Amino acid sequence: MAVNRRDFLKLAGAGVGSLVLAAGHTEPAAAESTPEEARRHPSMLYDTTLCVGCRACQNACRNWNETTAELNSEGMYDMPTDLSGSTWTIIKLYEEETAEDADAPGIFSFIKRNCMHCLDPACVSACTVGAMQKSPEGPVIYDVNRCFGCRYCMVACPYKVPRYQWGTTTPLVQKCTFCFGYVQPEGVVDDKNRLAQGLGPSCVEACPTGALSWGPREEMLEKAHTRIKSAPGKYYEDRVYGEHEAGGTLQLVLSHVPFTKLGLPTLDPRPLPSLTDPLNWSVPGIILGVGGLMSAIYVNRSQAEFKTKED
Amino acid sequence: MATTTIKSSKQATLPVGSIILWIILLIGVWAAIVRYSQGLGSTNLADSRPWGLWIAFDVMAGVALAAGGFTLAAIVYIFRMKRFYPLIRPTLLTAYLGYLLAAGSILFDLGRPDRFYHPFFYWNHHSVMFEIAWSVILYLSILTVENSQLVLEKFRLHALLRIVRKITIPVVIAGIIISTAHQSSLGGLFVLVPNQTHPLWYTPILPVLFYISAISVGLAMVIVESTLSAKAFDRPVESHLLSEIGSWLPTMLGLYLLVNLGNLAVSGKLGFIFEGSLASFMYLAEIIIGVVAPLILLSFASIRNDSARLFQSALLVVFGVIFNRFNVLVWGQNGAFYVPNWVEFAVTAGLISLGTLLYIFAVKNLPVYTDHTPEPEQISEEAPLPAAG
Ligand code: SF4
Ligand code: SF4
């Protein structure tokens, strides 16, 4: 899948011809997966009705991935308020106050945010250098050695997931890896890769209430739809968020309040990369079209010049 | 007016201008030190605002403003309107400096500037940004060839000069192709984010709008920079040429307006214009000040034939396109409120000063103005036909 630096230097050293070759080799194995292919991909289901907001998942993520704890303005460790370069998953609380009595508990819901691990991810399509990759196993992972920090992935992600390490001079883009670790050279397994060890993500393991479930995508979807069927009206629009959003995601969400209230955007089922793919395909057309047109105009004009000179 | 008075006034004003430029440049250097020693945290960029002034102004607007280079090259070399030859060298030089500064500002904006060469080795042909990275590098090489004539002539390297002149036409055509590709792709970057871009600016045909507006603003910049440098170097303004360029602008602006409004109408988004929100206000300001006003003004021959008013109308077009790029990139995107901080402003101002100083240096030392150069008839007359396609 990925070529490590030494291989790459060997290839690059062989000249421009092999540059093309090198590029062919360094191309991530898969840019996207179809819902069909994703059926067996590992998937996570989060159910707002079961979440009690204990944040065990948030801390488990920090512990396993060794992300630094966040400091508040007084320099003390404090609860983060959003995803960041060192917070890859977060529990947020949405609350709606009832109009009559502000003190009475209104409708509320927790929401766990992390990378949705899209089937056809915008960040992977956007990444200039192919640092964001769709692994053949499913999770969307990142190559720390490739990224040069253009931050187009951050602009492109419809869920605003990738975050940057703003405070350092050698920053990386950071996001949930589904505990799959970073992209590694052929044959090397990241010690942060829990999936390779036959474990699920650390957040799922930590969840005490069953609000998080883990398994192949088709099983998670089935589980979600069974929950919806067994309690009609309990879940918002009887819909599983992530089943179709922007082509579908491996992270699925069941909620009893509207998804937009939880910061989950309303997205067309069309995968976002399909919007820009035609642009890059059009490049040969531009070369032929514009090149041909300009050549024709030039020939035509210079012949006219020649004629006027003859006369 | 005696020439001596002009000379003395020039000596009096230029150093003052240069001193100011040098001071701005030094402040920029200080800001650069801050940025490189502290990282991007020294700017107002944040997770909710990953791109700011440097991408919106230095790269997006800068590259559009430099579109005069390929446009005028097409006019002179391909459409064979040789009367515009006197404008080509200063225009290609500004385009070159413009692209160099855009590339320079990317080195500030990249989180890992030490890896700036990665797009050469790690390819992602799905990425619009990948295509832009290659296009900009290729076009910089083309501008290098095009501008090499200045240096080759100066140092009388005639053998090389002959080669460069022989390949003029293919080089110009390659430049037009590559410019078409990346000027439009800069808009293509945002085709990927339908949900985060305000409907007034989001459209799948954003690349077309970016391309048309780049050509308009490229032409407008020829007027602006020719007028300015005529002032700065006490040269006569090529007013008949500039007013002819001015006469093309209403067509381009009209086309832009047609495509822009037509597209909003077809996609049923005209209502957003009058929604009364900040976005609708920004959109109206952009279209009225930057497109409609210069369209009307430049339709009058009396305005086009008056250097000062032609200059002001062209300035409106420039303002409009800069404003548009900010709207698409910053204010039209979902995200937190953003204003650049002093580091971002100082780096941008420093780069502009550097460009201006380089331009002054080049004009003083190289045959930028065609008084020193051979007749246009000699240029590329013998150039071979490019391979078709
Ligand atoms: S949620 Fe965002 S970061 Fe995660 S895979 Fe999808 S596009 Fe990429
Ligand atoms: S910031 Fe890094 S990961 Fe994101 S698009 Fe740019 S190179 Fe790719």
Side-chain angles (χ1 to χ4, degrees):
Chain A
M1 186 174 71
V3 165
N4 70 22
R5 291 200 124 184
R6 216 173 320 114
D7 281 354
F8 157 68
L9 283 176
K10 257 188 269 159
L11 282 165
V16 182
S18 56
L19 199 78
V20 180
L21 249 173
H25 278 278
T26 52
E27 198 66 34
E32 79 275 317
S33 58
T34 61
E36 203 43 45
E37 288 160 350
R39 281 171 54 190
R40 304 299 308 158
H41 283 171
S43 175
M44 191 192 298
L45 174 65
Y46 170 73
D47 189 333
T48 59
T49 64
L50 295 172
C51 176
V52 294
C54 69
R55 296 177 190 258
C57 52
Q58 202 178 300
N59 290 323
C61 173
R62 193 177 300 293
N63 288 340
W64 178 262
N65 294 300
E66 295 177 85
T67 56
T68 43
E70 309 239 3
L71 302 178
N72 66 15
S73 54
E74 296 169 302
M76 288 189 271
Y77 288 130
D78 208 340
M79 204 56 93
T81 55
D82 206 347
L83 293 177
S84 77
S86 57
T87 298
W88 299 357
T89 190
I90 190 164
I91 293 288
K92 293 184 185 181
L93 172 64
Y94 163 75
E95 188 170 0
E96 210 172 284
E97 268 163 24
T98 41
E100 311 85 56
D101 183 1
D103 290 334
I107 302 164
F108 73 93
S109 172
F110 292 103
I111 177 67
K112 177 180 189 286
R113 297 304 306 271
N114 51 263
C115 175
M116 301 293 288
H117 295 278
C118 307
L119 303 193
D120 191 350
C123 62
V124 171
S125 153
C127 182
T128 319
V129 294
M132 284 289 175
Q133 299 177 9
K134 176 80 180 165
S135 66
E137 294 84 353
V140 176
I141 52 173
Y142 171 72
D143 188 336
V144 295
N145 293 317
R146 278 194 187 200
C147 172
F148 71 154
C150 67
R151 307 190 296 286
Y152 188 26
C153 53
M154 302 176 64
V155 172
C157 171
Y159 307 100
K160 294 274 147 252
V161 163
R163 303 289 161 131
Y164 211 46
Q165 294 174 327
W166 297 98
T168 126
T169 49
T170 52
L172 297 172
V173 173
Q174 299 281 279
K175 69 169 195 70
C176 153
T177 69
F178 254 17
C179 282
F180 199 66
Y182 288 134
V183 173
Q184 298 294 338
E186 203 77 57
V188 177
V189 178
D190 194 329
D191 62 354
K192 295 287 174 214
N193 186 340
R194 290 173 62 98
L195 305 199
Q197 300 167 31
L199 304 166
S202 57
C203 56
V204 179
E205 193 181 83
C207 179
T209 65
L212 291 175
S213 343
W214 178 254
R217 187 166 189 263
E218 59 180 349
E219 282 171 30
M220 290 301 109
L221 279 172
E222 204 185 290
K223 186 178 222 163
H225 284 292
T226 318
R227 281 187 196 171
I228 290 173
K229 253 185 231 114
S230 62
K234 179 178 177 190
Y235 292 106
Y236 174 67
E237 282 186 348
D238 294 343
R239 189 151 73 89
V240 187
Y241 190 94
E243 184 167 10
H244 303 295
E245 274 67 21
T249 57
L250 293 180
Q251 174 70 53
L252 304 168
V253 180
L254 273 179
S255 165
H256 59 290
V257 303
F259 297 113
T260 47
K261 305 258 186 211
L262 304 178
L264 295 169
T266 310
L267 300 172
D268 285 345
R270 182 181 182 172
L272 294 167
S274 68
L275 296 171
T276 46
D277 272 343
L279 300 180
N280 276 8
W281 297 334
S282 73
V283 170
I286 290 179
I287 296 176
L288 290 178
V290 176
L293 184 67
M294 289 299 134
S295 311
I297 294 174
Y298 170 72
V299 170
N300 178 298
R301 286 305 175 109
S302 42
Q303 273 168 355
E305 265 169 26
F306 191 66
K307 281 219 185 82
T308 42
K309 234 172 256 168
E310 295 269 276
D311 294 341
Chain B
M1 227 191 323
T3 32
T4 41
T5 42
I6 297 174
K7 280 254 167 65
S8 60
S9 75
K10 176 169 143 193
Q11 270 153 4
T13 51
L14 259 183
V16 177
S18 302
I19 289 169
I20 295 173
L21 289 172
W22 275 104
I23 293 173
I24 298 176
L25 178 59
L26 285 178
I27 300 173
V29 170
W30 175 242
I33 294 171
V34 171
R35 184 257 170 261
Y36 283 115
S37 59
Q38 295 176 15
L40 286 171
S42 59
T43 67
N44 270 0
L45 297 170
D47 283 330
S48 58
R49 198 51 87 188
W51 287 349
L53 178 73
W54 291 337
I55 296 290
F57 183 79
D58 303 31
V59 180
M60 293 281 174
V63 164
L65 262 44
F70 89 91
T71 314
L72 202 64
I75 290 166
V76 170
Y77 292 110
I78 306 302
F79 290 81
R80 313 299 292 165
M81 299 183 179
K82 291 182 186 170
R83 57 184 179 283
F84 287 98
Y85 188 77
L87 298 178
I88 193 83
R89 290 192 168 194
T91 304
L92 284 176
L93 178 64
T94 20
Y96 193 34
L97 292 173
Y99 271 84
L100 283 176
L101 297 181
S105 65
I106 290 173
L107 291 182
F108 285 91
D109 192 77
L110 282 181
R112 295 296 302 268
D114 53 316
R115 296 176 171 181
F116 73 92
Y117 58 88
H118 274 199
F120 292 119
F121 299 129
Y122 300 118
W123 291 20
N124 177 13
H125 57 75
H126 290 277
S127 169
V128 179
M129 191 65 108
F130 172 76
E131 187 221 310
I132 293 173
W134 271 88
S135 294
V136 168
I137 297 290
L138 288 177
Y139 190 54
L140 258 177
S141 329
I142 281 179
L143 282 169
T144 309
V145 175
E146 289 176 339
N147 281 286
S148 66
Q149 293 207 23
L150 301 179
V151 181
L152 296 177
E153 253 172 44
K154 162 97 179 175
F155 296 103
R156 311 189 145 273
L157 300 166
H158 285 144
L160 268 176
L161 189 60
R162 221 165 290 133
I163 298 175
V164 169
R165 290 210 174 140
K166 274 231 153 54
I167 59 169
T168 301
I169 300 299
V171 166
V172 165
I173 291 182
I176 298 169
I177 294 172
I178 295 168
S179 295
T180 304
H182 73 263
Q183 292 285 2
S184 55
S185 290
L186 286 173
L189 286 175
F190 297 92
V191 172
L192 193 56
V193 286
N195 307 94
Q196 281 127 244
T197 314
H198 190 278
L200 282 173
W201 292 286
Y202 183 80
T203 156
I205 61 160
L206 210 49
V208 177
L209 291 175
F210 266 54
Y211 186 54
I212 303 175
S213 58
I215 293 180
S216 323
V217 80
L219 292 173
M221 274 304 282
V222 175
I223 297 173
V224 169
E225 81 208 17
S226 302
T227 314
L228 283 181
S229 62
K231 277 227 177 69
F233 300 106
D234 274 332
R235 297 177 42 85
V237 187
E238 289 95 346
S239 25
H240 56 293
L241 296 179
L242 297 187
S243 73
E244 192 176 349
I245 291 179
S247 72
W248 301 332
L249 275 172
T251 315
M252 291 308 297
L253 295 170
L255 181 66
Y256 181 81
L257 201 60
L258 196 74
V259 177
N260 191 325
L261 291 177
N263 175 60
L264 285 180
V266 169
S267 47
K269 293 196 285 199
L270 279 176
F272 285 106
I273 302 180
F274 307 105
E275 147 193 272
S277 64
L278 183 64
S280 64
F281 173 75
M282 295 287 213
Y283 176 84
L284 279 174
E286 168 196 326
I287 292 286
I288 292 174
I289 303 174
V291 184
V292 177
L295 195 164
I296 296 173
L297 290 172
L298 290 169
S299 303
F300 293 101
S302 57
I303 292 185
R304 294 198 305 264
N305 293 331
D306 175 334
S307 296
R309 291 207 261 167
L310 175 68
F311 172 77
Q312 289 155 4
S313 311
L315 217 50
L316 287 180
V317 180
V318 173
F319 168 81
V321 171
I322 296 176
F323 197 15
N324 169 261
R325 299 305 191 258
F326 269 94
N327 276 333
V328 174
L329 238 109
V330 182
W331 299 311
Q333 296 288 318
N334 288 343
F337 180 72
Y338 162 84
V339 265
N341 73 354
W342 80 269
V343 174
E344 297 170 79
F345 278 124
V347 164
T348 297
L351 284 168
I352 296 171
S353 290
L354 178 65
T356 316
L357 286 167
L358 286 172
Y359 186 82
I360 295 172
F361 175 83
V363 169
K364 283 187 178 162
N365 293 286
L366 297 171
V368 175
Y369 286 108
T370 37
D371 331 2
H372 329 277
T373 55
E375 283 296 292
E377 273 68 32
Q378 285 169 258
I379 303 298
S380 76
E381 198 57 83
E382 67 282 25
L385 293 185

